[in-house]
Structure formats: structure tokens, C-alpha cells
């Protein structure tokens, strides 16, 4: 069953120079799938993620999340929809510096006015799952990047959303922390059957996913599915990236784990 | 592009950032200049006025300079802090530190130059208006605009040195950091809020003690108390912002049931960061606002003082003469002449007061003729009296007498002339200055008055008489130049005692009033201007702070919006963050000034029986309205930016 359907999505940025960011892009995401979206800089990855996040509206085309068309919702309902259905992980974590790790994680629940007892129960469970139990009282500037990103994942997970949207979640992390975060994401994906859509530059990050979707200049380019071994999947991703062409500089430095 | 041009462009192209700052410093120059204009005014001849003008302006200028220095220093270091990344880039590109200092110096001097020029320009344009206000206050005949190099030189010199000091001292801040620190910027929000529980509790305790002392003073007034209270309140306020608020927030944050609740989480956490960052500014704003509230309150209460002052001193010019006064005719003539010279129409009512001994009091009483009182009452529009033969009324000497005197009928006998009279009550107004009459005064009917023929025991007939001259002038506020010689004799011989060694007594409420009024108005006027400068400065600071934090806040609100916070909820969060920043200092200032007014009230009652509760309320309401509209203005801009 597909949880997310995009049909002929087009996004044009109006302005002095009109810019076609996404051009008639269609794809579907199955429930419980871990999808990576790859493409060179300026290929429209972030725009795509913003469209799925419902904070930006497509110029034309249809978007369905969980059998709901967010384009038909009023702005207020749309916010409530995001609050309950979506979870976000960002490249630079975007934790609120004033809050502790624990408070950052419960933030989505407090916005929804849940009882404190339930919040405590949930935050303990998630913290244990993410290995954050010992640093719950710390503030974001007192913890490492990996811990910060895990906190952000905890914040995205805690309200059990249908889709987690991750924008370059490993972009600011060293390779060890990046690997931890990716393993964590795939564990979450397998265990709780959470759908994850991740935009990334990093072929290693992409190799943790079930499927990699390549876009170029806002258009569908290719997609590949994972096989039994991550190593070969990684090689195949590299092959497609080199096919994507032109700018080798766009590819991030290759790290092999 | 030369180096100077570079510095110039840095300032001009960042005009939006500097706007509020420039406005505040221009205004400060303006006010300073206007004060100097008055200070050096050549045509103020009046010695007293000159003292007030010079002294008052001097004090106001010193206060202004101190606060301006503080404001400039604080803003400049905040500006430089906000631009630290830019400086990092410049240093990285190979600018050496001497050049950087020169650039900062040049930029500051450009700002200073603009402020001084524009400030003096507007200051000179407004001087005439300012002089008109002063002229009205002091009831001067004319106070023309003049041109002299003195005020210009003083203003330019003072502010130029101020800006030089600022530009040198604020660049020290940059000098100490190395490039990498500058490039990273100052992650101020990443600091833990530190507070000590001891200081937090001490702060609250000091405020509490200060307030209790005020309450205590209502019952037992001690003048030295005011200094203790002020000192306690100032220290307490400071600790309140640096520690107590954070401590209280910390207590709330420990209670998850309270704290983990929709917007409180963000609001409290952000609130404590903002308070820690701005504690000193909040402190200054609180003190400044308290002073502003107070000075406005005091002067507003002056209007009610006028009315009551008039009630206590209904006779415009009063002269009383004992039997042994050789100058009586001369003085009365002089007063009449002076009144005529001033072009004031007047009505002279002469009271021939007789003295007798009252059998009840076993003391002397003054006897005043009913018809004379009535002719004055007609002029003053006071109630007339109608006494039958053998009846009398007590004429109260002071306002307090109304409470002390029994009002039941009373029988007494004027012993020397053996005239029995019945006291029928108290006349409802005070008429004569209390210092002129030492004994109780009775109004008696004309018939009885004629019957009083015997002198006081042990005195001659002449010695039992006194004469009061009441000059009724309807324009009583304009009598300040009448009888100045007599007034000088009175103040020199009496000082502040109540014993009058002269054979006469002179009182000119118009003159006294004009002195009190002028002093107060000047106090208010200068106080208001200084307060206006400071409030503008504080406002510019809030604006600037919001502006520099805007990028960070924008990002934070973007995250929140993605997480599903609706626009309406976003406004709520903004409210909860902005409200404390605006209303915490203001609220504390309100409480402070309420207590200060209470103290002042206790003080005031001794000075004059004036209640200033109503005026105080009006002032506080007016300030509330101003503050609320200011809040909405800033919130409107802020929300427009973050959306």
C-alpha cells in the first residue's frame, strides 16, 4: 500500500527570472519504505522535500499522503496534519538551544497538549531506544553532533508519525556518528515500520535505504532497489551518480565504512 | 574605494540597523543642546531664576551625559558583537588590527558626526519653542532666541569626546578576540543561564524590605529613610533581573506538570535566555521608567496643588500690621503702587481686628467684624455670613483646624468688655495666612463689634488693635513682582521659624507659588526630556536586539512551523516571548513608582495637604497606554519579519 503518491508534480518559482524547480515528477512510496532521494546540487531535492512537508505548494499536480490531499486542507488543518503525521530531521539538527535534550524531544507532544504522564513514558522509551537516557538533562550545546542528531530523530519519532522526512541528516556529522545515525534510522524503519524519506548527497547514507530515487534538474532520472549486500548496492549507486554526469564535484567525498 | 569610503558605506548601507540608534543619539544631542541654550541665556537677569536655570540644567546635563555614555557604550558593543563575523572575514582577508580599529573609529565618528549635526540643527530649531515653554513656566516677559558660540561649542565638545571615548573603548572588545572566534560569531544563546540561589533570594528580600519600609514610613516618616529605601530598591532590582527571575523560572521549569504545556515550554526557556542576556538593560529601563513615572506624577499632581494652594491662601496679597508698626502707611502705599505698576486691578479690604480675652479659653482672641469678612467673601465668592447680636463664628487659622475645633455651640464671654457671645460654629474657609494670626479668631456681628471698647488687660487701647490689609487681585498668579522687598524682609528675619519678630507680616502667595511652581515645572520639564531620551534609548535597544536575533529566531520559527505550529499559535508563542521583554521592566517600574508615590504622599502631607492618588493613577494609565501601543508596534514589525 503506498502511503505517499506524487502525480505529475510541477513547481515553478515565480520571480524576475521564473525557475522550474520540479518538472512533472511522479513517484510513490510504500508504507514502511526507506527511500533516499539523490541528485546534484540544484536538482530540486530540497524543493521536493518542502512540497512533501506541505510547507510549500506545487504549481500543478497531485499530492496524496495517507489518502489525504494536503492541498485541500485549510492552513490551520494543514498545521495539525504536519503535527501528527510528519516528523522532521534536519542537516543542522535545529534543536531549540534553550531546551534540554528531553524537552526538545517532548516538544511535539506538548504542542499537542498531551498529558504529562504519557509524555514522560514516551520520552523514556524513545531515549532508551536512541541511547540518550544518560544525557536527557543536557542542553544542545553540551552534547556532540551525533547525540544532537539522535535527539532530533527522537523528536521526529516521539509522536509516531506516518512519515519521517530527513534532509541530509548526516551532512554535519563525522563518519562514525553518521553511521550510528543511519543504522538507527534503518532500525527504526524496520522495527516500527516507519516510512522514511531521506534527501542526501552521500552515497553511503543512500546505501542504507531500500530504494534510491535519482532526480536531475527537477526531473525523474533513475531509481534502484537495494540488494542483499550493501557493498554492491553502494557500487551501483556510485555508477548511477557518475551517469548523472557532468559535475563530479557535486559528489561528496566517498567514504567507505 | 578608499578606506574612508569603505567605512562610510558600512554605515550608510546599514542605515536600517542604525536607524533606532541614530534616532536616540540625535535626540540626546538635541536635548543637551537645548539645555545648553537655556544655561547660557544672556537675558535671564533674575538671580533666582539664573540659579535655577544654570543649576537645574547643569544637573540634567550631567545625568544626560552619564546615561548617554552608558547607552552608547552598550549599543556600540552590541553592534560590534553582532558584526563580529564580518570583522572575522575582514581580518581573514588580511586587514590588520590597526586598520580594523581605524575602521571602527571612523564608523563611530561618522555616526557621531551625523548625530551631532542633526541634533544641533533640530535643537536650534526647537530652542524658540523651548524658550516659549520656559517663559510660560516662569511667567517671564520675554525670553528671546539668541545666537552665541557657547552652547554650540559645549555640545560639540561634549559629544565629540563622548564618541571618541566610545569608539576607542568599544574596539577593545574586538581586539581581544582572535579570528576564529570572530568568524564563529558569539553563540550567546549557547550559554547556560547561571544564577546563584543566594543572590536570587537576596534580591527578592531587598525589594520586600524596601517596600515594607515604605509602608512603615506611612506611619512614621523619617527623611533619611528615603535614602535607605532607594539604595535597597536599586540593589534589589539589579539582583532581581540577574538572579531572581531566573531562579523563579527555574523553579517552574522543574515542575513538569506546569512546564510541559503547549507553549510554555518554548516561552519559559526562551524567556529565561532573553532575560539573562538583557538583565542589565532591563535594570536600566526599570530605573529610568520609575524616574520618568515619578517626575510626571509629581508634576501632574501639581495641578491639584494649585487648587489647594489657592484654597489655603485665598488672599492674593496680605499685609498685617501691629499697633507699633511705624511703616504701615508706607508699606501699604508701596504695595498699592506696585500693583498699579504691574497693571493689576485690585480691591483692598481693610480689617480692623480687636483683641479681647475669652473666658472659655482663658486666652486672647482676635475679633473680626462680620461686615468686613462679608465684603471679602463677596470678592472671593465665598459664602456670606449672617450673625445676630451675641453670635460668633470661629475663623479657622489652618486647614487642620477643621478637625481640631469642636463645632457644637459654645458660650463665652469677652471679659474686658463683658460681652457674652454664643459661638455658632466654624466658618468653612481659611481666610488669613496662619502665621499672621497666633490666637483663635472669632467673627462677630457688627453690633457686638461696636460694643467692644475696653482694651486688653494690662494694655492700652491702641495696643489691643491690629490691622489687616487684604488685597484681592483676580489675576493672583501675576503678583510675583509685588512686595518683593517686604518678602525679603520676611524671609530674612523669620527664616523657617514661625516666630515673627517684625511688627508687620506680609504674604504674597502669588510670589511663593511662582517660585514653587517654577521649580517644579523645571524639574518636570528637564526630567521629562531626560526620561524621553532614555526611553527612546531603551526602545532603540529592544529594537536592535530583536533585529540582531532575527536570523536565529526566523530559523527557529521555521522549524516550529514545519513541526506543525499554526500561524495563530506562532503569534501566541511570539506574544509569550515579547511580553516579558516589554512588560517585566515596565511592571516592576510601575510597582516601584506606586510605592514611591506612597512615600511621596506621606512626605507631601506635611508639605501641603494634597492628595495625589488620582493624578498618580492617571499617569500610570497614560504610561500603560504608551507602552502597550509601543509593544503592538514592535510585535507587528517582528511578526512581519518572521513570517
Amino acid at each position: 500500500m503506498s502511503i505517499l503518491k506524487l502525480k505529475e508534480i510541477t513547481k515553478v518559482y515565480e520571480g524576475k527570472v521564473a525557475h522550474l524547480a520540479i518538472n512533472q515528477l511522479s513517484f510513490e512510496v510504500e508504507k514502511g519504505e526507506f527511500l533516499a532521494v539523490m541528485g546534484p546540487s540544484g536538482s530540486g531535492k530540497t524543493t521536493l522535500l518542502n512540497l512533501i512537508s506541505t510547507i510549500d505548494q506545487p504549481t500543478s499536480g497531485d499530492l496524496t499522503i495517507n489518502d489525504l490531499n494536503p492541498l485541500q486542507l485549510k492552513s490551520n488543518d494543514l498545521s495539525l496534519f504536519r503535527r501528527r503525521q510528519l516528523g522532521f530531521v534536519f542537516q543542522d539538527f535545529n534543536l531549540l538551544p534553550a531546551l534540554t535534550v528531553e524537552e526538545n524531544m517532548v516538544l511535539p507532544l506538548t504542542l499537542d497538549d498531551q498529558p504529562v504522564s504519557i509524555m514522560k513514558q514516551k520520552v523514556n522509551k524513545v531515549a532508551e531506544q536512541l541511547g540518550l537516557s544518560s544525557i536527557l538533562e543536557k542542553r544542545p550545546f553540551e552534547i556532540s553532533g551525533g547525540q544532537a542528531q539522535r535527539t532530533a530523530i527522537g523528536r521526529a519519532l516521539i509522536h509516531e508519525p506516518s512519515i519521517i522526512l530527513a534532509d541530509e541528516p548526516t551532512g554535519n556529522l563525522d563518519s562514525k556518528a553518521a553511521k550510528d545515525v543511519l543504522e538507527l534510522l534503518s532500525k527504526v524503519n524496520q522495527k516500527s515500520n516507519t516510512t522514511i524519506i531521506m534527501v542526501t548527497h552521500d552515497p553511503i547514507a543512500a546505501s542504507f535505504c531500500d530504494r534510491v530515487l535519482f532526480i536531475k534538474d527537477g526531473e525523474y532520472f533513475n531509481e534502484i532497489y537495494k540488494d542483499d549486500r550493501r557493498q554492491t548496492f553502494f557500487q551501483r549507486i556510485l555508477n548511477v551518480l557518475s551517469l548523472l554526469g557532468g559535475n563530479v564535484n557535486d559528489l561528496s567525498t566517498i567514504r567507505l565504512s | 574605494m578608499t578606506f574612508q569610503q569603505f567605512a562610510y558605506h558600512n554605515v550608510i548601507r546599514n542605515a536600517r540597523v542604525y536607524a533606532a540608534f541614530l534616532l536616540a543619539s540625535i535626540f540626546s544631542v538635541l536635548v543637551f543642546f537645548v539645555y545648553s541654550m537655556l544655561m547660557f541665556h544672556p537675558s535671564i537677569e533674575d538671580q533666582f531664576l539664573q540659579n535655577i536655570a544654570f543649576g537645574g540644567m547643569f544637573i540634567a546635563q550631567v545625568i544626560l551625559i552619564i546615561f548617554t555614555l552608558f547607552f552608547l557604550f552598550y549599543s556600540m558593543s552590541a553592534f560590534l558583537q553582532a558584526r563580529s563575523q564580518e570583522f572575522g572575514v575582514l581580518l581573514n582577508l588580511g586587514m590588520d588590527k590597526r586598520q580594523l580599529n581605524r575602521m571602527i573609529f571612523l564608523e563611530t565618528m561618522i555616526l557621531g558626526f551625523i548625530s551631532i549635526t542633526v541634533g544641533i540643527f533640530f535643537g536650534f530649531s526647537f530652542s524658540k519653542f523651548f524658550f516659549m515653554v520656559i517663559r510660560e513656566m516662569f511667567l517671564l516677559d520675554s525670553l528671546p532666541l539668541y545666537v552665541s558660540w557657547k552652547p554650540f561649542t559645549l555640545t560639540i565638545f561634549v559629544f565629540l569626546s563622548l564618541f571618541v571615548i566610545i569608539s576607542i573603548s568599544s574596539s577593545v572588545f574586538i581586539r581581544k578576540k582572535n579570528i576564529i572566534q570572530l568568524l564563529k560569531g558569539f553563540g550567546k544563546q549557547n550559554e547556560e543561564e547561571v544564577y546563584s540561589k543566594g543572590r536570587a533570594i537576596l534580591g527578592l528580600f531587598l525589594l520586600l524590605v524596601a517596600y515594607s519600609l515604605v509602608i512603615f514610613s506611612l506611619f512614621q516618616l523619617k527623611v533619611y529613610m528615603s535614602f535607605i529605601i532607594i539604595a535597597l530598591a536599586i540593589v534589589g532590582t539589579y539582583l532581581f533581573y540577574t538572579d531572581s527571575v531566573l531562579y523563579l523560572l527555574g523553579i517552574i521549569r522543574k515542575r513538569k506538570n506546569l512546564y510541559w504545556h503547549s507553549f510554555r515550554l518554548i516561552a519559559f526557556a526562551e524567556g529565561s535566555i532573553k532575560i539573562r542576556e538583557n538583565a542589565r538593560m532591563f535594570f536600566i529601563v526599570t530605573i529610568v521608567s520609575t524616574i520618568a513615572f515619578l517626575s510626571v506624577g509629581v508634576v501632574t499632581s501639581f495641578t491639584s496643588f494649585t487648587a489647594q494652594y489657592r484654597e489655603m491662601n485665598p488672599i492674593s496679597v496680605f499685609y498685617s500690621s501691629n499697633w507699633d508698626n511705624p511703616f504701615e502707611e508706607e508699606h501699604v502705599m508701596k504695595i498699592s503702587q506696585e500693583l498699579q505698576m504691574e497693571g493689576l486691578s485690585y480691591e483692598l479690604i481693610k480689617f480692623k481686628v480687636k483683641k479681647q480675652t475669652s473666658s472659655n479659653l482663658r486666652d486672647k482672641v482676635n475679633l473680626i467684624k462680620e461686615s468686613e469678612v462679608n465684603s471679602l467673601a463677596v470678592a472671593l465668592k465665598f459664602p456670606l455670613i449672617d450673625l445676630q447680636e451675641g453670635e460668633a463664628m470661629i475663623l479657622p487659622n489652618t486647614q487642620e483646624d477643621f478637625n481640631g475645633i469642636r463645632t457644637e455651640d459654645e458660650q463665652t464671654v469677652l471679659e474686658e468688655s463683658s460681652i457674652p457671645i454664643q459661638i455658632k460654629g466654624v466658618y468653612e474657609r481659611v481666610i488669613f495666612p496662619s502665621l499672621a494670626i497666633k490666637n483663635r479668631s472669632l467673627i462677630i456681628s457688627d453690633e457686638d463689634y461696636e460694643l467692644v471698647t475696653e482694651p486688653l488687660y494690662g494694655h492700652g487701647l491702641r495696643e489691643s488693635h491690629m490691622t489687616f490689609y487684604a488685597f484681592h487681585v483676580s489675576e493672583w498668579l501675576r503678583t510675583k513682582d509685588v512686595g518683593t522687598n517686604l518678602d525679603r524682609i520676611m524671609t530674612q528675619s523669620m527664616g523657617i521659624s514661625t516666630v515673627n519678630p517684625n511688627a508687620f507680616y506680609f504674604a504674597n502667595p502669588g510670589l511663593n507659588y511662582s517660585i514653587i511652581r517654577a521649580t517644579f515645572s523645571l524639574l518636570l520639564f528637564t526630567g521629562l526630556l531626560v526620561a524621553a531620551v532614555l526611553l527612546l534609548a531603551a526602545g532603540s535597544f529592544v529594537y536592535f536586539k530583536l533585529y540582531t536575533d532575527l536570523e536565529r529566531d526566523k530559523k527557529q520559527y521555521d522549524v516550529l512551523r514545519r513541526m506543525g505550529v499554526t500561524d495563530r499559535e506562532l503569534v501566541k508563542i511570539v506574544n509569550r516571548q515579547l511580553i516579558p521583554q516589554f512588560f517585566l521592566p515596565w511592571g516592576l517600574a510601575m510597582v516601584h513608582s506606586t510605592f514611591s508615590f506612597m512615600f511621596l504622599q506621606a512626605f507631601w502631607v506635611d508639605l501641603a495637604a494634597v492628595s495625589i492618588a488620582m493624578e498618580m493613577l492617571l499617569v500610570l494609565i497614560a504610561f500603560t497606554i504608551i507602552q502597550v501601543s509601543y509593544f503592538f508596534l514592535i510585535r507587528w514589525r517582528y511578526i512581519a519579519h518572521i513570517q
Side-chain angles (χ1 to χ4, degrees):
Chain A
M1 187 196 99
S2 58
I3 192 162
L4 173 72
K5 276 185 215 161
L6 278 83
K7 204 171 153 200
E8 308 263 303
I9 291 283
T10 299
K11 175 71 188 176
V12 179
Y13 284 112
E14 304 287 346
K16 283 189 180 144
V17 185
H19 169 59
L20 181 64
I22 304 276
N23 190 12
Q24 296 196 311
L25 187 65
S26 307
F27 66 90
E28 290 186 9
V29 181
E30 294 297 313
K31 184 162 170 45
E33 197 180 358
F34 189 177
L35 174 78
V37 178
M38 291 192 83
S41 297
S43 58
K45 302 187 297 287
T46 305
T47 309
L48 177 65
L49 208 63
N50 283 346
L51 291 174
I52 301 173
S53 314
T54 72
I55 58 167
D56 205 350
Q57 284 76 44
T59 315
S60 69
D62 269 329
L63 176 70
T64 319
I65 304 174
N66 240 349
D67 296 326
L68 245 160
N69 187 348
L71 303 178
Q72 285 163 356
L73 293 176
K74 287 196 196 100
S75 109
N76 212 36
D77 297 329
L78 203 59
S79 294
L80 293 177
F81 171 79
R82 282 202 295 274
R83 184 184 294 181
R84 290 178 188 142
Q85 304 285 340
L86 303 179
F88 294 91
V89 181
F90 305 91
Q91 177 173 3
D92 40 9
F93 326 133
N94 282 339
L95 297 177
L96 301 194
L99 302 178
T100 64
V101 166
E102 184 182 30
E103 288 158 6
N104 261 297
M105 287 199 287
V106 293
L107 188 58
L109 298 180
T110 58
L111 291 180
D112 228 13
D113 263 337
Q114 304 252 358
V116 173
S117 56
I118 291 188
M119 285 197 255
K120 277 186 183 160
Q121 197 186 329
K122 283 190 176 172
V123 79
N124 286 334
K125 201 179 121 201
V126 171
E128 203 177 319
Q129 196 183 349
L130 302 179
L132 295 170
S133 303
S134 58
I135 55 162
L136 282 180
E137 295 304 321
K138 295 251 187 306
R139 295 268 299 274
F141 61 90
E142 297 175 298
I143 60 179
S144 71
Q147 288 169 327
Q149 194 58 296
R150 276 186 280 155
T151 307
I153 293 172
R155 183 175 66 184
L157 275 179
I158 199 158
H159 54 301
E160 292 155 8
S162 357
I163 305 180
I164 291 181
L165 299 167
D167 188 359
E168 301 267 13
T170 58
N172 269 350
L173 299 178
D174 62 66
S175 56
K176 169 75 174 62
K179 188 166 168 265
D180 285 351
V181 163
L182 288 165
E183 280 171 353
L184 201 71
L185 280 176
S186 57
K187 196 173 95 187
V188 166
N189 166 250
Q190 279 152 21
K191 258 192 159 175
S192 16
N193 208 24
T194 312
T195 315
I196 302 177
I197 299 174
M198 175 171 76
V199 163
T200 184
H201 256 108
D202 182 1
I204 298 182
S207 69
F208 279 85
C209 302
D210 300 329
R211 173 163 66 123
V212 184
L213 177 79
F214 296 90
I215 55 174
K216 186 187 179 184
D217 299 333
E219 286 176 38
Y220 175 86
F221 181 77
N222 196 354
E223 63 181 329
I224 51 176
Y225 286 83
K226 78 165 176 191
D227 44 22
D228 300 338
R229 287 188 59 222
R230 241 188 66 217
Q231 193 64 41
T232 53
F233 186 39
F234 174 68
Q235 272 310 328
R236 285 166 52 216
I237 295 171
L238 283 184
N239 292 342
V240 180
L241 283 178
S242 61
L243 263 181
L244 256 175
N247 298 322
V248 181
N249 292 345
D250 283 337
L251 311 180
S252 67
T253 40
I254 292 160
R255 295 185 302 242
L256 285 174
S257 52
Chain B
M1 187 171 73
T2 62
F3 198 73
Q4 280 85 347
Q5 280 176 322
F6 180 56
Y8 172 76
H9 286 152
N10 271 342
V11 175
I12 298 303
R13 294 184 184 157
N14 282 323
R16 250 179 79 184
V17 184
Y18 287 115
F21 168 77
L22 262 181
L23 192 69
S25 43
I26 286 173
F27 196 62
S28 160
V29 175
L30 187 155
V31 171
F32 186 92
F33 179 76
V34 165
Y35 285 170
S36 321
M37 284 291 277
L38 187 69
M39 206 162 92
F40 292 116
H41 204 292
S43 57
I44 299 180
E45 285 152 9
D46 190 323
Q47 186 61 41
F48 165 74
L49 195 59
Q50 214 170 21
N51 286 345
I52 286 195
F54 204 87
M57 291 301 129
F58 184 73
I59 292 169
Q61 284 186 333
V62 170
I63 294 174
L64 194 65
I65 289 171
I66 292 173
F67 275 96
T68 309
L69 187 74
F70 196 86
F71 158 72
L72 286 179
F73 182 73
Y74 206 51
S75 317
M76 275 326 276
S77 50
F79 276 130
L80 296 182
Q81 211 164 9
R83 291 172 64 195
S84 65
Q85 256 165 313
E86 186 189 328
F87 297 142
V89 171
L90 289 174
L91 288 173
N92 209 3
L93 289 175
M95 182 184 258
D96 69 30
K97 291 226 169 176
R98 253 192 40 230
Q99 283 174 311
L100 183 68
N101 287 338
R102 208 173 120 227
M103 188 186 84
I104 294 172
F105 181 78
L106 276 175
E107 287 184 25
T108 317
M109 290 323 283
I110 291 172
L111 286 174
F113 183 73
I114 297 176
S115 316
I116 293 173
T117 325
V118 180
I120 289 184
F121 174 76
F122 280 107
F124 194 68
S125 327
F126 278 115
S127 297
K128 183 64 201 165
F129 175 71
F130 179 75
F131 286 160
M132 272 157 62
V133 174
I134 294 284
R135 199 190 65 200
E136 277 303 302
M137 262 180 210
F138 289 92
L139 305 165
L140 295 174
D141 296 329
S142 74
L143 197 61
L145 191 64
Y146 71 102
V147 181
S148 150
W149 55 272
K150 285 183 196 161
F152 290 92
T153 320
L154 181 72
T155 312
I156 292 173
F157 174 73
V158 165
F159 278 87
L160 217 54
S161 14
L162 218 59
F163 275 98
V164 169
I165 293 170
I166 293 300
S167 57
I168 291 171
S169 54
S170 57
S171 59
V172 170
F173 174 77
I174 296 295
R175 224 173 288 156
K176 278 191 290 187
K177 311 277 175 188
N178 54 33
I179 299 182
I180 193 77
Q181 277 174 308
L182 290 174
L183 275 176
K184 279 186 177 162
F186 297 87
K188 282 186 80 187
Q189 65 271 26
N190 288 351
E191 287 163 27
E192 182 88 61
E193 54 263 25
V194 268
Y195 56 85
S196 97
K197 195 177 165 185
R199 283 157 56 95
I201 292 171
L202 181 67
L204 292 175
F205 177 73
L206 287 181
L207 285 183
L208 211 68
V209 170
Y211 291 156
S212 327
L213 281 180
V214 170
I215 307 261
F216 175 74
S217 304
L218 292 184
F219 302 104
Q220 198 175 0
L221 188 69
K222 298 256 182 356
V223 178
Y224 67 84
M225 220 42 136
S226 58
F227 298 104
I228 300 176
I229 293 173
I230 291 171
L232 286 179
I234 289 179
V235 178
T237 310
Y238 185 78
L239 291 178
F240 178 76
Y241 287 118
T242 54
D243 295 88
S244 308
V245 184
L246 297 175
Y247 172 66
L248 294 177
L249 283 177
I251 290 178
I252 295 175
R253 290 173 75 175
K254 280 196 195 104
R255 295 171 171 262
K256 294 193 164 120
N257 282 331
L258 272 176
Y259 181 43
W260 282 11
H261 186 274
S262 45
F263 314 110
R264 282 180 209 159
L265 197 63
I266 300 169
F268 279 107
E270 281 291 319
S272 43
I273 282 187
K274 291 261 151 76
I275 284 164
R276 182 181 50 74
E277 276 180 0
N278 299 327
R280 285 195 191 88
M281 185 189 81
F282 286 164
F283 166 69
I284 298 285
V285 173
T286 307
I287 299 296
V288 166
S289 319
T290 309
I291 296 172
F293 293 167
L294 262 184
S295 52
V296 177
V298 166
V299 186
T300 319
S301 64
F302 204 74
T303 43
S304 79
F305 181 64
T306 317
Q308 298 209 16
Y309 187 83
R310 179 79 175 135
E311 206 164 282
M312 285 182 295
N313 302 280
I315 297 176
S316 314
V317 178
F318 177 83
Y319 183 85
S320 80
S321 170
N322 289 350
W323 66 277
D324 54 350
N325 176 16
F327 310 111
E328 181 171 345
E329 253 176 72
E330 184 194 330
H331 283 163
V332 174
M333 276 292 283
K334 188 111 196 298
I335 294 171
S336 323
Q337 274 169 8
E338 283 177 349
L339 281 169
Q340 277 161 14
M341 262 165 59
E342 289 293 309
L344 297 167
S345 63
Y346 66 93
E347 199 175 325
L348 173 60
I349 294 137
K350 194 170 163 190
F351 292 85
K352 291 193 97 41
V353 180
K354 291 180 176 173
K355 292 184 180 176
Q356 292 284 289
T357 307
S358 155
S359 63
N360 270 21
L361 295 171
R362 305 236 152 273
D363 197 3
K364 285 181 274 185
V365 288
N366 301 311
L367 301 174
I368 299 163
K369 206 172 168 185
E370 179 194 358
S371 58
E372 288 170 347
V373 172
N374 273 340
S375 49
L376 184 66
V378 169
L380 293 175
K381 301 194 175 62
F382 279 8
L384 299 178
I385 30 184
D386 181 21
L387 294 173
Q388 302 301 319
E389 199 176 336
E391 285 180 347
M393 257 181 143
I394 296 177
L395 183 65
N397 291 349
T398 60
Q399 293 280 343
E400 283 83 60
D401 278 0
F402 287 115
N403 309 324
I405 298 175
R406 285 182 301 153
T407 47
E408 308 96 74
D409 288 8
E410 207 179 314
Q411 287 288 344
T412 190
V413 176
L414 302 174
E415 289 184 349
E416 291 85 349
S417 311
S418 335
I419 301 165
I421 48 171
Q422 191 179 24
I423 296 173
K424 297 291 280 183
V426 182
Y427 188 62
E428 54 195 274
R429 301 292 177 100
V430 173
I431 295 181
F432 300 114
S434 56
L435 286 178
I437 316 166
K438 278 165 222 92
N439 310 96
R440 172 172 286 195
S441 307
L442 295 176
I443 307 169
I444 51 174
S445 66
D446 290 13
E447 294 87 344
D448 288 327
Y449 184 85
E450 298 306 331
L451 292 175
V452 177
T453 47
E454 296 301 314
L456 272 174
Y457 290 136
H459 292 273
L461 193 58
R462 280 187 62 216
E463 293 168 36
S464 319
H465 277 90
M466 253 174 113
T467 319
F468 289 175
Y469 294 90
F471 293 82
H472 172 68
V473 182
S474 43
E475 293 173 279
W476 68 286
L477 284 172
R478 291 185 51 208
T479 61
K480 73 183 178 64
D481 291 325
V482 174
T484 40
N485 298 341
L486 292 173
D487 189 68
R488 199 164 306 135
I489 296 171
M490 295 311 299
T491 32
Q492 274 165 8
S493 58
M494 285 177 70
I496 51 163
S497 74
T498 52
V499 184
N500 182 6
N502 303 307
F504 60 88
Y505 178 84
F506 174 76
N508 182 350
L511 173 65
N512 295 338
Y513 181 78
S514 79
I515 293 174
I516 299 173
R517 189 178 101 123
T519 318
F520 268 96
S521 319
L522 198 74
L523 192 85
L524 168 80
F525 196 58
T526 46
L528 265 188
L529 280 179
V530 172
V533 171
L534 298 181
L535 286 180
L536 208 63
S540 104
F541 211 83
V542 170
Y543 171 85
F544 172 73
K545 270 278 177 198
L546 284 178
Y547 200 89
T548 48
D549 289 347
L550 201 61
E551 280 310 309
R552 180 177 87 91
D553 289 358
K554 251 185 197 170
K555 203 166 165 190
Q556 198 155 306
Y557 287 121
D558 184 56
V559 175
L560 289 176
R561 200 174 295 127
R562 273 174 200 257
M563 280 170 54
V565 174
T566 62
D567 281 347
R568 198 182 301 157
E569 286 168 340
L570 209 64
V571 173
K572 276 188 193 164
I573 293 176
V574 170
N575 273 346
R576 280 169 177 69
Q577 283 193 31
L578 284 187
I579 285 175
Q581 287 194 66
F582 272 87
F583 293 98
L584 191 67
W586 168 87
L588 195 62
M590 279 286 180
V591 179
H592 277 1
S593 29
T594 309
F595 277 96
S596 313
F597 274 126
M598 277 163 70
F599 189 78
L600 217 60
Q601 183 86 320
F603 218 67
W604 213 237
V605 170
D606 288 0
L607 211 61
V610 181
S611 162
I612 57 175
M614 193 59 205
E615 282 76 18
M616 179 183 99
L617 199 69
L618 282 177
V619 170
L620 295 188
I621 289 173
F623 270 96
T624 311
I625 293 169
I626 293 172
Q627 184 73 5
V628 168
S629 30
Y630 193 39
F631 163 74
F632 277 108
L633 181 77
I634 295 278
R635 195 189 73 155
W636 169 59
R637 290 314 309 149
Y638 186 71
I639 289 180
H641 271 298
I642 60 164
Q643 273 178 349

